Amino acid sequence: YSNIGVFDFSLGRPPSINSGPDFNMNCATASISITGHEGFIGGKALTYQWYYSAPGDTNWTMVPDNIIYDNVTSSTLNILNTFAVINYQYYCQVKENDHLCFTASNAVKFKLPTTTWTSSGWTHSGPTSNTMTTLDYAYNTVIDGSFNACNLVINTGVILDVGDATYIQVGKNVLNNGVIELRTKGAFVQNGIGGMAGNFTNNGITRVRKSTA
């Protein structure tokens, strides 16, 4: 035991991050992956812990394992509801098992492709099945066209009129703060079955106007 107290801990190496964080996403779900490397080869296995910061937050919060997140202590964090975490930031701490020595990744912000309908038209290109779509001005599918969207938000005071022989198809979630008018031969479709179904949040008015011959 003659060398007790003379070991130089400054020679210890924390884990390193080889790549990431990298996003992989679709309309409903997403994942963030990172690749780490042991600081001491043959030492304890790497462990991971993801953190998030919501818009407006000044601190970071440990990502919980719940209905929104899965695999929160692995190299790949799964996000099960993209609609709930738009503009959230994420980073990962990589460490060797229970050691307090860790390496933090860069932070990344989660964004979906977005477009907004205004009095001047779409702010970006028209919506697609992977687009977060917002209606901020009256929209009539007979005049303005049918469309597909990943998530759809209808702002307060806005009327969405789905006319005959036209459609709106939403892949995941709908938040209606305005008015939806569905005509006799129009179609408003929200995809998904069971756990893959989105939410329809109706804070406004939804009317189905059907006429018979």
Side-chain angles (χ1 to χ4, degrees), residues 89-105:
Q89 295 184 75
Y90 296 90
Y91 86 93
C92 186
Q93 289 186 2
V94 183
K95 49 190 173 182
E96 294 192 41
N97 204 359
D98 57 353
H99 288 196
L100 295 178
C101 182
F102 66 86
T103 297
S105 73

Side-chain angles (χ1 to χ4, degrees), residues 23-39:
F23 270 114
N24 182 24
M25 70 182 74
N26 57 36
C27 170
T29 63
S31 63
I32 317 174
S33 298
I34 197 167
T35 302
H37 191 268
E38 296 174 353

Side-chain angles (χ1 to χ4, degrees), residues 3 5-12:
N3 61 347
V6 298
F7 183 79
D8 186 357
F9 286 95
S10 68
L11 299 177

Side-chain angles (χ1 to χ4, degrees), residues 41-147:
I41 303 301
K44 294 186 176 181
L46 292 180
T47 62
Y48 304 84
Q49 179 61 61
W50 291 89
Y51 292 80
Y52 74 85
S53 180
D57 285 356
T58 57
N59 295 309
W60 293 89
T61 302
M62 188 179 295
V63 175
D65 190 351
N66 57 20
I67 61 173
I68 297 177
Y69 300 106
D70 198 11
N71 296 323
V72 301
T73 56
S74 75
S75 60
T76 298
L77 171 67
N78 295 118
I79 301 172
L80 308 179
N81 182 357
T82 56
F83 191 63
V85 300
I86 294 171
N87 291 327
Y88 277 47
Q89 295 184 75
Y90 296 90
Y91 86 93
C92 186
Q93 289 186 2
V94 183
K95 49 190 173 182
E96 294 192 41
N97 204 359
D98 57 353
H99 288 196
L100 295 178
C101 182
F102 66 86
T103 297
S105 73
N106 292 328
V108 290
K109 179 182 285 189
F110 177 74
K111 291 184 177 182
L112 282 174
T114 63
T115 190
T116 300
W117 177 256
T118 70
S119 59
S120 301
W122 295 110
T123 53
H124 298 94
S125 57
T128 71
S129 58
N130 287 317
T131 304
M132 171 72 187
T133 302
T134 301
L135 300 182
D136 198 43
Y137 188 75
Y139 194 95
N140 187 310
T141 54
V142 173
I143 299 170
D144 303 311
S146 302
F147 66 79

